[in-house]
Amino acid sequence: MLFSAHLWSRGRMLALCLALLGGLALAGWWQAQQSAGGFNYARLYQEAQGGGYWQSSAASADEPIDGISAEDWAAYLGPASPSYLRDFAQMQKYGRKSSICFSALLFGPLYFFYRKAWKPAFAFLAVDLLLNLPALLELLVLSESAFAPAISSSSLLFLAQLASIASFAVMVLSGMFAKYLYRRSAAGRIRRIEAEFPEKAQREAVLRAQGGVSWAAVVGVCTLMMVAGAVFSLFLGPNVDAIVGLVI
């Protein structure tokens, strides 16, 4: 119940969040064009005809990012490295921290667990669980549980509304800054590996082993959330029909 309610809550806010992020991306792109001397239609046409934009992006992706070579980045990031290196290079070039990541927008903390960015993964998971607390308390009250808190329905509703607004804000921030947080987490781990393994072949082997993705972490977190939901259901009261009425 806890896991399904969490995904349902994220799904309801996804459409609005996509529209907002699209507007923010357009504003950021326009600001970058203005800082580069204004938008030049002739230059855009010439680059499109000759593939200049993609050649420029590929060239910048081969440059060191955060003082780390493209080879070490590629070894750590895995098969998705071309896309990430392109984004990281553009972020470094223009000094930006925001870059839309739809995977983080949709899946939240699971994206960070998948990419092995452990600190932001656990931080966003803790925030998500905390923001779901008012809804869980409301379920206890609706089911007439003996463990229901002595809080009025109006107060619980107010807390749930605040949590919903905060969840939307966290969702937006996650989608906007996920790549920056992943880049910072990955850069820290790569530097530690570079310092410990100066020999190239050995370093690349360690980077590939400690980098990449982890489906095991995703499955583990999902399993723990489902177990937590099952345990929470044991504390519900006899009036389960009231909860079913909210879902249907």
Side-chain angles (χ1 to χ4, degrees):
M1 178 178 294
L2 178 61
F3 182 61
S4 60
H6 175 70
L7 290 182
W8 172 249
S9 176
R10 297 190 70 86
R12 287 186 303 172
M13 296 185 291
L14 182 58
L16 180 59
C17 196
L18 286 174
L20 178 60
L21 283 176
L24 290 172
L26 182 60
W29 173 81
W30 179 256
Q31 184 179 5
Q33 292 294 331
Q34 293 299 312
S35 63
F39 184 75
N40 190 322
Y41 288 96
R43 183 184 61 192
L44 177 64
Y45 177 77
Q46 292 172 358
E47 290 180 346
Q49 289 293 99
Y53 172 78
W54 300 109
Q55 292 173 4
S56 174
S57 297
S60 61
D62 290 334
E63 298 174 357
I65 300 173
D66 295 332
I68 299 170
S69 68
E71 290 183 353
D72 284 352
W73 272 113
Y76 184 86
L77 295 174
S81 60
S83 174
Y84 276 104
L85 286 177
R86 212 166 31 240
D87 289 338
F88 291 170
Q90 292 297 308
M91 292 168 69
Q92 178 174 261
K93 180 178 180 180
Y94 295 107
R96 292 187 288 107
K97 294 183 179 180
S98 61
S99 179
I100 296 176
C101 179
F102 292 104
S103 298
L105 176 66
L106 181 59
F107 298 107
L110 295 180
Y111 164 79
F112 295 103
F113 281 106
Y114 177 70
R115 298 304 314 184
K116 297 183 179 180
W118 307 121
K119 288 183 179 180
F122 284 106
F124 275 105
L125 179 62
V127 171
D128 273 8
L129 294 177
L130 180 63
L131 293 177
N132 274 286
L133 184 59
L136 298 178
L137 295 178
E138 191 173 6
L139 292 180
L140 292 176
V141 173
L142 288 175
S143 65
E144 301 175 2
S145 170
F147 299 95
I151 304 176
S152 64
S153 299
S154 58
S155 298
L156 273 178
L157 179 61
F158 177 71
L159 290 175
Q161 290 174 341
L162 285 180
S164 179
I165 295 172
S167 294
F168 177 77
V170 170
M171 193 176 179
V172 172
L173 292 174
S174 176
M176 287 180 60
F177 296 101
K179 289 183 180 179
Y180 168 73
L181 294 173
Y182 175 47
R183 168 187 160 192
R184 190 173 67 174
S185 173
R189 298 186 70 186
I190 293 173
R191 290 193 189 97
R192 287 194 294 270
I193 293 172
E194 286 179 336
E196 190 172 351
F197 301 95
E199 201 274 324
K200 182 179 179 180
Q202 189 179 19
R203 181 175 69 250
E204 287 185 354
V206 176
L207 286 170
R208 290 192 180 95
Q210 295 194 15
V213 299
S214 175
W215 280 108
V218 175
V219 173
V221 171
C222 291
T223 302
L224 288 176
M225 290 182 68
M226 287 187 287
V227 170
V231 172
F232 174 78
S233 66
L234 299 177
F235 296 92
L236 295 176
N239 190 14
V240 181
D241 292 338
I243 300 176
V244 175
L246 291 176
V247 180
I248 299 177

